[in-house]
Amino acid sequence: MDTLASKFKNFGKNGTEDESRPILADDPEKGEIEIAQSSASISPSEDVFTDEKDQMKECYFRDGIRKIDFVLVYEDDHSEKTEELTSKEKAKRRNKRNQEEQQERWRNKFIRCLKQTGVTIEEDSSISEEKTIHYFKLNCPWHLLTYYAEELNIRAPLQLRQYKSHQWSSIILNKCRIPNGMLLDVPKRPKLYFTCTFRKSKISNFLGNDNHETYFSATERGRIMWEILQTTLFGKKKRAEIGIERLLCDDVFTAAFPLHDGPYRLPKPIEEVEDLEKLNKRQILYEYWARWGRWYKYQPLDHIRDYFGEKIGIYFAWLGFYTAWLLPVAFIGFIVFLAGLIGIDMNPEAKDVCGSGKSYMMCPPCEGCKKWPLSKSCIMMKLAYLFDNNGTVTFAIIMSFWAVFFLEFWKRKSANIAHHWEVMDYEEEEERPRPEYNARAPTLSVNPITGVVEPHFSPKQRLRRMFTGFAILVIMLVVVVIFVLSVILYKCLIGVVMSHSHDKLIHGEVSTIMRSVSGALLNLILIMLMSNVYTAVAEWLTRWEMHRTQTEYENALTFKVFIFQFVNYYSSIFYIAFFKGKFVGYPGHYGRFLGIRNEACGSGGCLIDLALQLFIIMVGKQAINNVQELILPKLFQWWQRRQVKKAFGAEQKSKMTKPWEKEYLKLVHYEGLFEEYLEMVLQFGFITIFVAAFPLAPLFALLNNWIEIRLDASKLVCEMRRPVAERAQNIGVWYEILDALVQIAVITNAFLIAFTSEFIPRILYKYEIGAGSLKGYTNHSLSYAPSSAGLGDCRYKGYRDWEGHHTLYYWKLLACKLAFVITFEHLVFFIGRMIDWSVPDVPESLQYKIKREHYLAKQALADNRDNSMEVMKLYNRRFSQDPHDTEADTRYQRIYNAANKPSKLPFAKTTLDTLQEEENSEKIEPVTANIDEKVINTNLEEKLTDTDTTTDTKTSSVMVTAPSSQNFPTQPLESSEKPASPLRPLPPRLNQSPNTSDDDNSRSNRRQRNLATRRSKVKRDQV
């Protein structure tokens, strides 16, 4: 903080309303008067309505010039009990007062350090008898903006570029000459530029540099202010008492947020607005994105990114891409379901069962039950055909390939978006420790990267805690399995009770359906209840593990929560798909668990149970989550209004119309995208892992996503405070989780088709026994009970002989199933790898665009052109006054050719610096030139070292000095703003007189020979 404060002059240190803007200490030509005059000529943007014009004015300081970039809020509670207190209550109140005093000290120092940094602050408050709400409105002056823009590598505009749509559906419809009803003409489209990293020294080359108020967007100003708040001290630096996040965690401040761009509602319909260009960005997002009537339109992703930042923009881009890819498979799944519905009566297996009468008498389903004819399960056999036919098997294969293609094409789409939004080269900088880590770390240590002393937690101790956390994770997973077993026991007991009931309505297949539905509903209730418990346990474990950075913390938390939720949501479905009915046994030797016969599949197979379970859990979870997202923010707003009315009264509450008051009191804090990503990733698992049992899953996912996009958009625009814009290149660790789900989905679908459905048994019977027909398949799939069971000639499902042993046909069928699994998953994985290998993650056309834009950015900054011109000036100027000295001319010709020749190899500047220092043994007056030292030194040294080593060893590099004294201020600068060091002087040999002594010449020759030897060695090392 002391380092940063030394770079600014601070005016108006009393923090009053008329506080002047600070300027850089090393920029004396810009004064306070000039800044005030340039700011006075800028007025706030006018809105389309007069009442909203006043709203926009209130987004500025009281002077109407300085814009509010950020707001800090804290509350003072005046309500205290006046009656007598017990000793415990007195101690509690004393501790509370001590804590409040500590918070007051931290808060005052934080505000004082912000002012020393150069941030201008204006204070406002809302006062009542019970409490006072204090608002600190922050503004970042121009000099701070330019400094931190360079520190944060913010992109600066160089030249406008043409906008090109990347919607594949729009391209297809245009080629087919079909009107595209999904297109939406959104006003005030953000302009696209060729950009490069911001440099204050090159600011004259950037577009819009003459308008300081509009040069940096609101999202960029918010990012810069957040960076300042993150790096400002509030206590002792050795204790890492730094940053706004720690203050928010310790309730020193209750909120910190940037303001929205005015209200989102219009007083009249959008169709009646004459000039749409005067709408603010929030109104545009609400009218063209968050409204439910826009559900079928393209999302205005550029507007979302411009207002909320790249991280939120990439989430909605991924969600929109995922939803668009659901359209074809949802349509195919619906067609498959309709085809199964139409073909129910034509199913030969169902016809055989329905017309069998009492030909197939099945063994009793429970102890004390009677035999029953298979024809009673006619309805279930017909329903089974809906989920177990050739169409569903084909659809499962299609979905396996769809999942692989989806991820591959998302990588290409992500690369296009990253390039489009200028985050292709974005890399997260060295992260600071988390506030909670700073507060709880027991020791201090020097950061090996930054060299700063910061709190430290032993990696060995963290590793021990992670192993302990893994053990707790396993215990929690065992708890999940116990809940699943309890639901299984419930279904078994319900089945026994229903079988012995005298009510014939709940006998047979009706009892099977009721048992499956009730078990699925009970499982859903347990899942939703335990989901919050698992998330809380995962958060506690992750905090206890003491991860240093926020990225490490989020990755560890994501892994734990996903493992919890994966087992929580999918365990019962995995049980039905792969274990139910596999351990039943046979008559006389039934398998039992806790004295109860193991659960068996119904006469229609386990796919009906699996489809019911999947439908109830997937659709029920989506419905509950949507209701929560719709109702909970409104409940919070209602509670906030109630508390404000209670503290300030209805009359004073109605007067709180300032933007920062309304946003703090009425809007919800932004919680991040973790829950949104988790919900969508779990849905992706439902539609890929178990789609063979439920072809309508993509359709329900599509409908949910249309609702989800509008709900999330409405929350961000209408119900949440504006988040700080964050940069991101892709969806992060969630891509790895999606990739893992795709691998699991391929294997799971292969096993579902082979072992759960009747696809392989039907195919084998049809072409080996049935001569191309399924006639007699039902009888062939049933075995007779062993005589030792004492049940007579009853039948049960299985391939066993009269003694209960597996037949040869069973082993042949098992071999076919395993061969299908191996062939299927190898084929899908092979095709996926071929696609990954043949289709680059970054399209070739995009690679050319990136190289072209880098070239244009380099040309726009004109470094090389300026250098070549300066070298030309030096070339036209002779160094030696002797007309017979042609060596200088020869040498300068080589220098000019080298400077204008494209470089090939980056030469080690540090090594050449050493050689030049040895060569410059004599001092001469340097020749000055207005040239960039870093570029010209590198170019000249490269080209000279690339020349043939057999040339005259007496030639050497020409070094020129830095331009003028204006680049060397008398005041010392920090390392981040040190000017380029003066260029090295010319070799003394070029200024030697022809009358130089022989001793000097011999020494020079020896020195040149040694230098030539070392140069050739350095060149070989570099090559």
Side-chain angles (χ1 to χ4, degrees):
M1 179 54 61
D2 296 333
T3 302
L4 187 60
S6 65
K7 304 170 72 171
F8 300 93
K9 290 180 180 179
N10 302 288
F11 298 96
K13 293 185 178 179
N14 297 328
T16 60
E17 178 183 337
D18 297 324
E19 186 175 24
S20 301
R21 294 188 175 194
I23 61 174
L24 281 172
D26 57 352
D27 199 4
E29 68 274 12
K30 285 190 176 181
E32 190 176 358
I33 299 177
E34 180 183 350
I35 295 175
Q37 290 175 351
S38 62
S39 300
S41 62
I42 302 169
S43 60
S45 59
E46 294 184 355
D47 208 348
V48 62
F49 306 113
T50 56
D51 55 338
E52 291 192 11
K53 182 178 180 180
D54 297 334
Q55 290 281 354
M56 293 301 296
K57 282 186 176 181
E58 291 182 349
C59 293
Y60 287 75
F61 278 20
R62 296 188 186 98
D63 57 12
I65 297 174
R66 291 171 291 180
K67 186 177 181 180
I68 299 174
D69 296 321
F70 228 86
V71 177
L72 302 180
V73 187
Y74 77 94
E75 297 181 2
D76 277 339
D77 192 0
H78 307 317
S79 60
E80 291 187 0
K81 294 181 179 180
T82 57
E83 62 270 11
E84 294 185 2
L85 302 176
T86 63
S87 58
K88 290 184 179 180
E89 291 176 343
K90 290 180 180 178
K92 188 176 180 180
R93 174 170 291 185
R94 188 164 50 250
N95 293 335
K96 182 180 179 181
R97 286 179 178 175
N98 294 336
Q99 183 180 3
E100 290 176 351
E101 291 175 359
Q102 176 68 25
Q103 292 176 350
E104 184 70 20
R105 287 194 298 270
W106 282 355
R107 186 162 46 242
N108 292 338
K109 183 172 182 180
F110 186 76
I111 296 298
R112 187 168 61 252
C113 290
L114 280 177
K115 292 180 179 180
Q116 292 175 357
T117 304
V119 177
T120 52
I121 302 176
E122 187 176 79
E123 189 174 357
D124 195 5
S125 60
S126 301
I127 305 173
S128 70
E129 295 181 358
E130 293 188 3
K131 65 179 178 180
T132 301
I133 303 177
H134 299 270
Y135 302 94
F136 291 102
K137 297 171 287 183
L138 311 181
N139 170 266
C140 190
W142 172 252
H143 292 89
L144 274 179
L145 290 171
T146 54
Y147 173 78
Y148 278 97
E150 191 165 348
E151 289 291 311
L152 297 175
N153 294 324
I154 287 179
R155 309 292 294 184
L158 292 170
Q159 181 182 353
L160 278 170
R161 60 188 174 103
Q162 185 179 4
Y163 176 82
K164 184 178 180 181
S165 175
H166 297 285
Q167 298 288 352
W168 58 270
S169 57
S170 177
I171 297 173
I172 293 174
L173 291 176
N174 287 336
K175 289 183 178 180
C176 298
R177 300 182 182 277
I178 300 175
N180 189 357
M182 296 179 289
L183 282 177
L184 189 63
D185 186 15
V186 185
K188 298 178 71 171
R189 181 187 297 277
K191 296 179 180 179
L192 300 178
Y193 299 94
F194 294 111
T195 64
C196 69
T197 305
F198 179 86
R199 291 291 179 266
K200 185 181 178 182
S201 59
K202 301 291 182 181
I203 195 170
S204 60
N205 295 21
F206 301 138
L207 296 180
N209 63 81
D210 53 338
N211 193 336
H212 293 179
E213 282 295 318
T214 60
Y215 181 79
F216 292 104
S217 66
T219 54
E220 291 171 340
R221 296 175 73 100
R223 280 184 58 212
I224 292 173
M225 272 306 311
W226 185 252
E227 177 69 16
I228 295 173
L229 293 173
Q230 288 276 60
T231 56
T232 301
L233 282 171
F234 61 84
K236 294 184 178 180
K237 192 174 183 179
K238 292 184 177 180
R239 296 180 182 177
E241 293 173 343
I242 182 173
I244 186 63
E245 287 189 342
R246 173 81 179 276
L247 296 178
L248 292 173
C249 290
D250 293 339
D251 294 328
V252 178
F253 289 100
T254 56
F257 55 91
L259 291 176
H260 279 288
D261 288 354
Y264 68 89
R265 289 192 182 276
L266 298 176
K268 55 185 177 180
I270 186 69
E271 294 80 8
E272 300 179 8
V273 178
E274 297 179 357
D275 191 358
L276 296 177
E277 294 296 325
K278 291 185 178 180
L279 298 177
N280 64 51
K281 295 180 179 179
R282 192 183 183 193
Q283 290 168 341
I284 291 174
L285 286 176
Y286 175 73
E287 293 293 336
Y288 293 92
W289 179 47
R291 285 179 54 194
W292 290 95
R294 308 294 186 183
W295 65 270
Y296 63 96
K297 299 291 187 180
Y298 292 134
Q299 296 185 89
L301 294 178
D302 287 336
H303 292 76
I304 298 170
R305 173 250 185 174
D306 183 57
Y307 193 75
F308 292 112
E310 287 82 4
K311 191 171 186 178
I312 293 177
I314 285 177
Y315 164 72
F316 282 102
W318 175 81
L319 184 55
F321 182 82
Y322 170 47
T323 305
W325 269 66
L326 283 175
L327 277 168
V329 292
F331 177 76
I332 296 173
F334 183 70
I335 295 299
V336 168
F337 183 79
L338 283 182
L341 195 62
I342 295 172
I344 280 181
D345 293 330
M346 295 181 290
N347 179 19
E349 189 176 355
K351 288 182 179 180
D352 187 13
V353 171
C354 294
S356 63
K358 295 185 178 181
S359 301
Y360 307 121
M361 295 300 296
M362 306 301 292
C363 295
C366 61
E367 303 295 337
C369 298
K370 298 179 180 179
K371 300 178 184 179
W372 58 281
L374 185 60
S375 58
K376 284 187 176 181
S377 63
C378 177
I379 298 177
M380 296 301 296
M381 293 298 295
K382 290 182 178 181
L383 290 177
Y385 185 76
L386 285 174
F387 309 104
D388 191 2
N389 55 64
N390 293 339
T392 57
V393 172
T394 305
F395 184 60
I397 297 173
I398 291 174
M399 284 299 297
S400 298
F401 285 103
W402 175 89
V404 174
F405 280 107
F406 168 74
L407 285 188
E408 291 300 324
F409 280 89
W410 165 248
K411 285 194 291 187
R412 294 170 63 84
K413 178 70 173 180
S414 177
N416 277 298
I417 293 174
H419 167 260
H420 183 64
W421 288 346
E422 301 289 349
V423 289
M424 199 75 179
D425 300 326
Y426 170 74
E427 293 182 1
E428 191 70 37
E429 299 176 356
E430 172 65 17
E431 288 191 79
R432 304 180 189 88
R434 294 171 51 244
E436 190 173 3
Y437 178 88
N438 287 336
R440 298 174 57 188
T443 60
L444 298 175
S445 178
V446 178
N447 188 315
I449 298 176
T450 63
V452 177
V453 177
E454 63 181 31
H456 177 72
F457 189 79
S458 173
K460 293 183 179 180
Q461 191 173 355
R462 180 183 298 113
L463 187 61
R464 288 195 295 268
R465 291 191 177 188
M466 292 177 67
F467 278 117
T468 305
F470 178 76
I472 297 175
L473 175 67
V474 172
I475 293 174
M476 296 301 296
L477 298 182
V478 172
V479 173
V480 175
V481 175
I482 291 174
F483 278 114
V484 173
L485 293 177
S486 65
V487 174
I488 295 170
L489 290 175
Y490 159 81
K491 292 164 67 177
C492 293
L493 292 174
I494 289 295
V496 173
V497 171
M498 288 183 175
S499 299
H500 289 83
S501 175
H502 298 289
D503 191 353
K504 295 183 178 180
L505 294 177
I506 59 175
H507 285 185
E509 298 304 326
V510 177
S511 66
T512 303
I513 295 177
M514 293 178 62
R515 189 171 54 199
S516 299
V517 172
S518 62
L521 290 174
L522 177 61
N523 195 23
L524 175 63
I525 294 173
L526 291 175
I527 285 172
M528 299 306 295
L529 290 177
M530 296 304 296
S531 178
N532 296 328
V533 176
Y534 298 148
T535 303
V537 171
E539 290 177 352
W540 177 81
L541 285 176
T542 310
R543 288 196 302 268
W544 183 62
E545 290 171 0
M546 292 289 290
H547 295 279
R548 178 181 173 272
T549 65
Q550 187 66 24
T551 300
E552 295 173 356
Y553 174 84
E554 289 179 356
N555 290 343
L557 178 62
T558 301
F559 171 76
K560 290 185 182 66
V561 172
F562 177 74
I563 293 296
F564 277 148
Q565 304 293 18
F566 183 88
V567 178
N568 189 29
Y569 281 98
Y570 300 148
S571 56
S572 60
I573 303 176
F574 268 102
Y575 160 74
I576 296 174
F578 302 116
F579 299 101
K580 183 179 179 179
K582 303 299 187 295
F583 306 99
V584 176
Y586 58 95
H589 296 82
Y590 287 114
R592 297 180 181 275
F593 178 72
L594 297 179
I596 302 174
R597 185 191 295 186
N598 290 340
E599 188 180 15
C601 296
S603 55
C606 284
L607 283 183
I608 296 179
D609 292 344
L610 184 59
L612 284 173
Q613 188 85 3
L614 188 62
F615 171 77
I616 291 174
I617 293 179
M618 175 184 171
V619 179
K621 169 187 173 296
Q622 292 178 350
I624 293 173
N625 286 340
N626 289 335
V627 170
Q628 287 179 346
E629 292 183 13
L630 186 63
I631 294 178
L632 288 182
K634 298 186 183 303
L635 287 177
F636 178 82
Q637 291 177 351
W638 171 81
W639 179 256
Q640 282 284 90
R641 288 194 298 268
R642 186 173 180 273
Q643 294 297 316
V644 172
K645 186 176 180 180
K646 180 180 177 182
F648 293 92
E651 183 178 354
Q652 189 173 355
K653 173 181 173 293
S654 62
K655 296 179 180 179
M656 294 181 177
T657 58
K658 297 176 182 177
W660 50 89
E661 292 177 333
K662 292 194 296 185
E663 293 188 21
Y664 174 69
L665 297 174
K666 296 182 179 181
L667 300 186
V668 184
H669 173 64
Y670 172 71
E671 297 291 345
L673 297 171
F674 178 81
E675 293 294 336
E676 313 301 333
Y677 272 118
L678 180 63
E679 181 182 353
M680 290 296 103
V681 167
L682 290 174
Q683 182 201 88
F684 183 82
F686 280 120
I687 69 168
T688 54
I689 298 178
F690 307 106
V691 72
F694 190 44
L696 291 178
L699 178 61
F700 283 105
L702 177 65
L703 297 175
N704 173 78
N705 287 5
W706 276 333
I707 299 173
E708 183 71 25
I709 291 175
R710 302 308 147 190
L711 280 177
D712 292 343
S714 178
K715 284 194 308 181
L716 283 170
V717 175
C718 308
E719 298 171 354
M720 287 186 173
R721 298 173 194 144
R722 187 174 184 175
V724 178
E726 297 182 61
R727 304 197 79 194
Q729 191 176 9
N730 47 47
I731 61 176
V733 70
W734 296 106
Y735 180 85
E736 308 299 330
I737 294 176
L738 289 172
D739 186 56
L741 284 177
V742 169
Q743 314 302 319
I744 296 173
V746 172
I747 299 173
T748 303
N749 282 315
F751 275 95
L752 271 176
I753 295 171
F755 287 92
T756 306
S757 73
E758 294 291 324
F759 177 73
I760 301 297
R762 291 194 191 109
I763 293 295
L764 184 61
Y765 176 84
K766 184 176 181 179
Y767 294 103
E768 182 171 333
I769 299 176
S773 173
L774 288 176
K775 186 177 180 179
Y777 173 74
T778 302
N779 182 56
H780 181 265
S781 63
L782 298 176
S783 300
Y784 287 93
S787 56
S788 60
L791 298 174
D793 294 339
C794 67
R795 310 290 293 272
Y796 66 96
K797 197 170 184 64
Y799 297 97
R800 295 178 183 267
D801 56 21
W802 285 91
E803 297 180 357
H805 300 143
H806 289 297
T807 61
L808 181 62
Y809 186 84
Y810 169 83
W811 298 110
K812 185 184 297 185
L813 179 61
L814 180 63
C816 292
K817 291 180 177 180
L818 292 175
F820 175 83
V821 170
I822 295 173
T823 304
F824 178 82
E825 58 96 5
H826 275 71
L827 178 64
V828 176
F829 287 148
F830 173 75
I831 293 176
R833 293 297 175 267
M834 289 296 295
I835 295 171
D836 191 15
W837 175 75
S838 60
V839 180
D841 296 343
V842 180
E844 186 176 1
S845 59
L846 181 57
Q847 295 178 8
Y848 286 123
K849 284 183 182 179
I850 295 171
K851 293 178 182 178
R852 174 66 178 169
E853 290 171 11
H854 286 174
Y855 172 77
L856 290 176
K858 186 178 180 181
Q859 292 297 315
L861 293 180
D863 285 335
N864 289 346
R865 184 175 67 239
D866 292 344
N867 293 339
S868 301
M869 294 175 63
E870 294 300 332
V871 172
M872 186 66 180
K873 293 178 183 178
L874 294 177
Y875 172 70
N876 293 329
R877 175 181 177 181
R878 293 182 55 85
F879 277 7
S880 176
Q881 302 299 324
D882 187 358
H884 302 287
D885 188 4
T886 61
E887 181 177 337
D889 291 342
T890 303
R891 174 166 179 73
Y892 255 55
Q893 181 66 46
R894 293 178 61 241
I895 293 173
Y896 177 76
N897 294 338
N900 286 275
K901 181 180 177 182
S903 60
K904 296 181 180 178
L905 292 175
F907 207 82
K909 186 175 179 181
T910 54
T911 307
L912 291 173
D913 286 344
T914 306
L915 298 179
Q916 285 297 328
E917 288 174 2
E918 294 181 7
E919 189 176 13
N920 296 335
S921 58
E922 300 180 18
K923 296 183 179 179
I924 65 170
E925 183 176 353
V927 179
T928 62
N930 195 9
I931 188 170
D932 190 341
E933 179 263 344
K934 292 185 178 179
V935 177
I936 191 62
N937 266 1
T938 304
N939 286 340
L940 295 181
E941 294 287 359
E942 288 177 355
K943 305 311 170 188
L944 290 177
T945 53
D946 282 341
T947 56
D948 190 71
T949 56
T950 59
T951 57
D952 186 5
T953 59
K954 294 182 180 181
T955 59
S956 60
S957 305
V958 173
M959 297 291 111
V960 292
T961 58
S964 61
S965 59
Q966 66 178 357
N967 288 340
F968 302 95
T970 56
Q971 299 182 8
L973 299 177
E974 295 298 323
S975 59
S976 60
E977 288 198 8
K978 284 183 179 180
S981 57
L983 303 188
R984 293 177 291 277
L986 291 169
R989 180 180 47 76
L990 292 180
N991 281 343
Q992 279 182 346
S993 171
N995 299 325
T996 307
S997 63
D998 293 339
D999 293 338
D1000 292 339
N1001 288 333
S1002 61
R1003 285 196 301 270
S1004 177
N1005 291 337
R1006 285 196 303 272
R1007 185 165 58 252
Q1008 291 297 332
R1009 285 194 297 271
N1010 293 336
L1011 182 61
T1013 304
R1014 296 184 63 183
R1015 280 183 179 277
S1016 60
K1017 181 179 179 181
V1018 169
K1019 179 181 178 181
R1020 289 195 302 271
D1021 293 341
Q1022 292 298 320
V1023 173

